[in-house]
Amino acid sequence: QGQGQGQEEGKKSNSGTDVMRKQMNKVLFETLTQKKEAIYIGEDVTHGGYYVVTEGLANAFPGRVQDFPPDETSLIAAGIGFSQCGLLPIVEIPYAKYLDCGADMFFEAIISYWLSNGSRPNGMIFRLQGFDRGVFGGNFHTHNMLYFPPGLDVVCYSNGEDYVRGFRYCVQQALGGRVIMLVDSTALLNLRHLHGTDQAWMRPYPEQGEYLEFNHVTHYGPKTGKVAIVTYGNGVISSLKAKKILCEELKVINENEITIIDNHYLSSVTQSLEDSIQNFDRIIFADVCKPMSGPLSSFVSVLQTKGKLPRFWEVVTAPNTYNPLGNEITFLNPSDIVSSCERVLSQS
């Protein structure tokens, strides 16, 4: 099952399901078991890592899970060295903001691969927290900004099931020399419920052989209709909550007329995304990053240039500000998406 199947909201059984954090932990165990060249390095990863994603790995794989001092330059440089020696390094950077501290080495890993057209591969996977509400809060832990240099594949998954299948594909690509950055949304790691206590975000662990290619989008709702909301990561949750408000509280649109498109690959517009939006009259691009700091504004530019956008569309983002401790209004919220949908629905 190459690309996997998108699933309709609320259609899966909850038997044998778990939160995203535990599914991530399981796929790391799976990878280190099956790929003897895989190693895992980071800061505090032997003690479970940030948000306990690496719990138990150090004991299960002695010598292949290693802590480094809090120096991202050295950590990334070690990853380059391990890759040049034929290993597959999975490098955990605690938060996206911390990439600033190791920027020179980070870009060196990407540029040397890209400029050499793959003849100098630096195959590795970066794992980090990127955006949305976190345990600690503050700008350094919830940065809402991402890098998209040429030669870097940036991906983000909204649930544990997609993460496992996507991670398997990322491993394949990293073994081929590509540099991949997997960005997590902290608030999703232990999320169980979408609405009330529905356990809708508890997902099953995919069977062996299931994976998601970069050219894949997941639809929550019908694949044709009046409005599509294109988003990723925690934006999927905010968009699904917005859909409920629009359909059940405001009653401005029927449930079968609005779809959320979970777009996992963020480095460029995939053919799947381009094809999907052709089936909708109006498009909302709901970006969890700040204006000019995320992928979807550039997506709009590409799609508009190619004549692939409908007449009515809008981009909604996180506010153009920093994230003080405990403040949630600096993030993309369902109310932002509701307002955006109401505006495009009013246009004719």
Side-chain angles (χ1 to χ4, degrees), residues 112-179:
S112 61
Y113 167 70
W114 188 77
L115 287 180
S116 68
N117 196 27
S119 64
R120 288 190 58 193
N122 283 319
M124 69 178 74
I125 297 174
F126 291 101
R127 258 207 68 234
L128 47 83
Q129 307 295 318
F131 25 64
D132 202 44
R133 303 150 186 84
V135 174
F136 304 112
N139 180 60
F140 286 94
H141 301 117
T142 50
H143 197 38
N144 293 355
M145 297 177 67
L146 292 175
Y147 297 112
F148 299 97
L152 178 68
D153 295 305
V154 182
V155 288
C156 179
Y157 302 103
S158 66
N159 61 80
E161 185 178 15
D162 284 348
Y163 189 99
V164 170
R165 295 187 292 177
F167 192 88
R168 290 169 177 164
Y169 185 73
C170 289
V171 167
Q172 293 179 5
Q173 299 308 302
L175 286 171
R178 297 177 76 154
V179 183

Side-chain angles (χ1 to χ4, degrees), residues 257-270:
E257 295 178 314
I258 182 170
T259 291
I260 284 73
I261 299 177
D262 186 355
N263 183 75
H264 317 294
Y265 188 70
L266 306 182
S267 291
S268 64
V269 178
T270 65

